[in-house]
Amino acid sequence: MSDFWPALRDVIVYGLPNTIIMSVAAMAIAVGGGFVLGVLRALRNKVLDALVIAYVEILRGIPVLILMFFVFFGLPQLGFNAVGNLQSAIIALGLWGAANGAEIVRGAIFSIDKGQTEAGLALGLNWLTVMTTIVLPQASRRMIPPFMSLFTAVVETSSLAALIPVRDVLESVRIKTESEPSLWMPLLIAVLFIYFFINYPISLASQRLEKRLA
Amino acid sequence: MAMVTMSHVRKAFGANEVLKDISLAVDPGEVCCIIGPSGSGKSTVLRCINRLVTIDGGEVTVDGLQVTDPKVKDVDLRRRVGMVFQQFNLFPHMTAQQNVTLAPRKVRGLNQKEADDLAMRLLAKVGLREKAQQYPAQLSGGQQQRVAIARALAMEPKVMLFDEATSALDPEITGEVLAVMRDLAVERTTMIVVTHEMGFAREVGTHLVFMDGGVIVEEGQPRAIFEHPQAERTKAFLSKVL
Amino acid sequence: MIVIVAAAQLDFSIVKDSLPDLARGAMWTYAITAMGIVGALFVGVVGAAMRTSNSRIARTLATAFAEFFRNTPPLVWIFFFFFALPNAHITLPAVAAGTIALAFYQGAIAIEILRAGIEAVPAGQREAASALGLSPFQQFVYVVAPQAFRISLPALGNNLIALLKNTSLISAIGIIEITGVANDIIAIKLSSAELFLTLGAFYLISVFILSALLRFAEARLSRYAV
């Protein structure tokens, strides 16, 4: 057990940064991409709608792991240049996150009473102005709790990158236990708590926010 | 011996003293109608009788059982007291017949056949035999309430409590429910009825209680109180509703 | 254009040759999903009952369990049941470890969903059941739970679909379900895009079927919705 603390230190020092980098970068893609896709659906253009729906359904219908493997292993075979492990993970996570983000944005926009849009248009404002000055500001407040939940999901899902491999906390544990299998139990428990201490506060804050917004 | 007695009952919800000092006796076969403005504590009085609400002070007895006695089990109490709610509260995932047979099977221990026979008899009694296999969503408000009455009667209670049974119904439909209640009264069922239907209270009631602000202001024969109210508050209330 | 060029480089004969193995993997995927669903629902119902009970201890235990499992990655739990338990002299085969891990993880999520469903059942229902003399247990089983279940069905359905997709994580501890089988083939044959596309199609179709089943269940249960 004297190996535990040094091992844990390595796990945190070498693994945690990647976990955080992946989560934050993927979340940025998720929010940005989600906004674009969600607003696209608000245009109510049948073709665009179909395209966005197809994207969302496919990306949410397959396991993220498959997506990660496809980005990392499969794309080079199709003629795309090989992308690094970490980048593959971030791209895959981001694409998946954007699909979920699209649903969150769409849901929030559509939850704004139609009367708001009608009033804006009746005043002579064009659609884009109505969207940016009336609908999106109101919708954005409603998006915050679900996006917080999405972030905790991204953090959890980033652990899949360990299978590519990306040296996140989980992969760091695997490396440490290769020479010392008895470390599995303590290190995994420590990792569980690391994830818990990241996600639980966000989850609580999100629930509290949701109650205040209701 | 009175079927239901309440003496000096007190109940507060937090800082709100809903029942201040209630004493009441209801004899077997009586139709006791409780009237009064909203918030006067009428519904709470009913709920103290079958222990849906526990009182803070005083005593309540039902058919000789002390409601405040912890040795008296909930189930013994509720087999003697049937309740019909303003919102009907029928179980939406069960047919009318299943609504009626649930408690007899699970609480009284009847087998399926006995429970079904009982249910069909009671549904016929409230005029809904053909609706036995329908779900509450397929029934009108008045029909749902009549099923609710059959459901309460299936426990063969000694007392029936009605908590504003017709208040959630459209005016044209209240008649069918009041008719069922009238039949029960004719059969000498002991009933305690919280209601806004003054016509019912006057024609069918045998004992009228006017409550306001958590106390009983006036009680007696319905006809007497309606025609010659004694207290000022009674006069004020009746002039508004009649 | 890129898609056409890309498609031209694909050779699906690899998939054709591996069909028996992939089919076996698919069966395992469905089997693990089915067992996982049963386990998750059991955990969810028991946990939700504890979460809404009158006992402070039961409530705290269930909440702690649910919150801890919900906020931690399922992959770590799969690793835990497979790699860490042997440290405590409990060795589980990969299928068992994976299924149990997923049952607990999705079950923890189900606890929250069912709790919300239980709380959404109108209070009048419990009052009426109580007034009829039903014990708290009888009230829960015959009146509250059926309605809570119907209310929870959409969110529960999503949870179960997530379980189906998460079976792919078991590929990390063994070659059993379809993703594991596919990875094994890729390791040998070194060609992967075709297999991943096939995998993707498999999951999309499976999710579609499961969604359809759930929608059917929802429609049947809602025919008497008030």
Side-chain angles (χ1 to χ4, degrees):
Chain A
M1 264 298 283
S2 57
D3 302 326
F4 172 64
W5 293 107
L8 180 61
R9 197 196 40 135
D10 282 348
V11 165
I12 293 180
V13 168
Y14 294 111
L16 195 54
N18 276 336
T19 297
I20 295 179
I21 291 173
M22 281 192 291
S23 306
V24 172
M27 195 60 192
I29 300 176
V31 174
F35 249 94
V36 169
L37 292 171
V39 172
L40 278 180
R41 282 202 67 184
L43 284 168
R44 300 197 190 257
N45 175 310
K46 289 232 168 94
V47 173
L48 280 177
D49 227 36
L51 284 174
V52 175
I53 291 178
Y55 174 84
V56 171
E57 287 303 310
I58 292 176
L59 283 205
R60 290 173 83 196
I62 59 175
V64 186
L65 186 61
I66 312 289
L67 188 59
M68 270 193 201
F69 283 161
F70 185 75
V71 171
F72 183 63
F73 293 116
L75 282 188
Q77 201 191 335
L78 289 176
F80 295 100
N81 286 324
V83 190
N85 298 26
L86 187 64
Q87 291 90 311
S88 303
I90 292 176
I91 292 174
L93 269 178
L95 287 174
W96 171 76
N100 282 294
E103 276 304 290
I104 293 175
V105 172
R106 185 198 66 81
I109 289 179
F110 278 56
S111 76
I112 303 295
D113 188 38
K114 238 182 100 188
Q116 296 285 301
T117 315
E118 288 179 338
L121 290 172
L123 285 170
L125 301 169
N126 71 30
W127 188 91
L128 189 61
T129 313
V130 168
M131 186 53 70
T132 50
T133 61
I134 298 176
V135 177
L136 279 179
Q138 294 185 57
S140 296
R141 287 186 66 207
R142 298 186 190 186
M143 291 181 211
I144 296 179
F147 265 124
M148 287 171 89
S149 301
L150 182 60
F151 183 67
T152 65
V154 167
V155 169
E156 280 183 40
T157 315
S158 72
S159 62
L160 270 54
L163 302 178
I164 295 185
V166 167
R167 198 171 169 175
D168 69 342
V169 287
L170 188 59
E171 172 65 4
S172 299
V173 169
R174 201 194 55 76
I175 293 174
K176 288 285 153 190
T177 52
E178 256 172 356
S179 48
E180 188 57 64
S182 63
L183 283 176
W184 271 118
M185 175 81 85
L187 283 180
L188 277 185
I189 293 180
V191 164
L192 284 171
F193 273 101
I194 291 176
Y195 277 107
F196 183 71
F197 286 135
I198 296 177
N199 279 342
Y200 186 56
I202 299 176
S203 171
L204 272 185
S206 162
Q207 284 170 32
R208 219 162 287 168
L209 245 181
E210 218 167 345
K211 279 196 196 128
R212 277 210 306 162
L213 287 174
Chain B
M1 193 191 68
M3 179 63 71
V4 175
T5 64
M6 300 175 77
S7 38
H8 304 294
V9 170
R10 286 190 333 267
K11 176 67 191 174
F13 289 109
N16 182 15
E17 242 200 314
V18 176
L19 299 179
K20 299 210 173 99
D21 183 4
I22 301 289
S23 297
L24 181 64
V26 177
D27 290 324
E30 258 192 31
V31 178
C32 176
C33 293
I34 305 181
I35 63 175
S38 318
S40 53
K42 314 191 295 285
S43 295
T44 312
V45 165
L46 290 184
R47 282 171 169 73
C48 292
I49 295 174
N50 67 356
R51 225 195 254 159
L52 284 180
V53 161
T54 42
I55 58 181
D56 297 332
E59 276 182 14
V60 179
T61 66
V62 173
D63 195 23
L65 294 177
Q66 285 271 7
V67 173
T68 43
D69 185 352
K71 282 195 244 92
V72 172
K73 286 192 277 191
D74 282 348
V75 78
D76 294 325
L77 203 46
R78 290 164 189 169
R79 286 179 65 163
R80 289 169 164 76
V81 182
M83 187 156 183
V84 176
F85 301 85
Q86 185 177 350
Q87 299 299 331
F88 335 138
N89 291 338
L90 285 184
F91 307 133
H93 55 300
M94 300 181 182
T95 61
Q97 183 172 349
Q98 289 166 338
N99 259 277
V100 180
T101 57
L102 178 67
R105 279 176 44 227
K106 299 297 169 187
V107 184
R108 286 177 57 196
L110 268 56
N111 65 40
Q112 187 69 58
K113 177 152 185 344
E114 291 168 337
D116 286 335
D117 290 342
L118 174 64
M120 293 313 273
R121 258 192 296 122
L122 290 171
L123 285 172
K125 182 189 172 84
V126 300
L128 288 173
R129 208 194 154 90
E130 339 74 67
K131 302 283 185 185
Q133 302 309 320
Q134 306 261 350
Y135 286 91
Q138 300 167 294
L139 301 173
S140 75
Q143 292 168 332
Q144 288 186 53
Q145 192 62 300
R146 285 189 274 154
V147 173
I149 294 176
R151 180 176 69 172
L153 289 173
M155 293 301 283
E156 294 179 356
K158 302 266 179 81
V159 185
M160 282 285 282
L161 307 178
F162 290 84
D163 186 7
E164 301 207 31
T166 55
S167 299
L169 297 172
D170 292 332
E172 319 89 69
I173 307 189
T174 55
E176 65 191 57
V177 174
L178 292 175
V180 171
M181 290 167 70
R182 193 167 317 203
D183 290 340
L184 288 176
V186 164
E187 290 163 18
R188 307 277 299 162
T189 313
T190 312
M191 298 161 65
I192 306 181
V193 181
V194 170
T195 186
H196 292 304
E197 295 287 331
M198 298 304 157
F200 180 87
R202 190 193 174 108
E203 306 292 318
V204 184
T206 58
H207 178 178
L208 188 70
V209 172
F210 171 63
M211 274 184 71
D212 191 4
V215 293
I216 296 179
V217 175
E218 204 170 326
E219 70 176 296
Q221 289 282 340
R223 216 148 288 208
I225 296 184
F226 279 120
E227 279 158 26
H228 305 289
Q230 302 293 314
E232 277 310 307
R233 283 195 278 177
T234 323
K235 289 184 196 161
F237 177 73
L238 288 177
S239 66
K240 267 189 265 164
V241 300
L242 288 176
Chain C
M1 244 271 294
I2 303 174
V3 180
I4 300 174
V5 169
Q9 296 181 320
L10 294 173
D11 174 22
F12 276 91
S13 61
I14 295 177
V15 177
K16 208 163 63 80
D17 295 335
S18 322
L19 225 35
D21 293 323
L22 287 172
R24 202 172 21 97
M27 285 302 115
W28 269 111
T29 295
Y30 287 141
I32 294 174
T33 303
M35 290 190 288
I37 288 180
V38 169
L41 284 177
F42 180 74
V43 170
V45 169
V46 171
M50 284 173 70
R51 193 86 164 62
T52 51
S53 81
N54 289 319
S55 152
R56 263 264 293 260
I57 305 171
R59 280 204 307 269
T60 319
L61 274 174
T63 311
F65 172 84
E67 288 299 325
F68 193 63
F69 268 88
R70 274 201 323 155
N71 287 297
T72 45
L75 181 59
V76 179
W77 282 111
I78 290 176
F79 271 38
F80 182 83
F81 279 93
F82 189 66
F83 291 119
L85 280 189
N87 287 166
H89 308 292
I90 306 173
T91 311
L92 292 170
V95 177
T99 311
I100 293 175
L102 285 180
F104 276 138
Y105 177 72
Q106 309 285 169
I109 296 177
I111 292 179
E112 255 314 292
I113 297 173
L114 288 170
R115 182 197 61 82
I118 289 175
E119 286 176 7
V121 176
Q125 291 291 304
R126 234 164 310 208
E127 257 204 322
S130 194
L132 286 170
L134 294 165
S135 72
F137 180 73
Q138 290 172 324
Q139 291 171 41
F140 183 75
V141 170
Y142 296 111
V143 176
V144 177
Q147 298 186 59
F149 196 73
R150 178 184 61 81
I151 294 173
S152 310
L153 210 43
L156 257 187
N158 285 338
N159 189 23
L160 300 180
I161 289 174
L163 201 156
L164 169 64
K165 291 187 288 169
N166 278 334
T167 57
S168 61
L169 299 177
I170 296 182
S171 62
I173 56 174
I175 302 168
I176 304 157
E177 43 72 59
I178 197 172
T179 302
V181 168
N183 275 342
D184 187 46
I185 298 171
I186 290 170
I188 300 172
K189 302 280 173 69
L190 291 181
S191 176
S192 63
E194 302 85 351
L195 278 163
F196 286 131
L197 288 170
T198 311
L199 272 187
F202 166 77
Y203 281 106
L204 280 176
I205 295 172
S206 305
V207 166
F208 183 77
I209 296 175
L210 190 50
S211 300
L213 281 173
L214 288 164
R215 262 195 309 257
F216 177 71
E218 231 180 296
R220 267 207 66 202
L221 285 177
S222 298
R223 77 190 126 92
Y224 46 67
V226 170

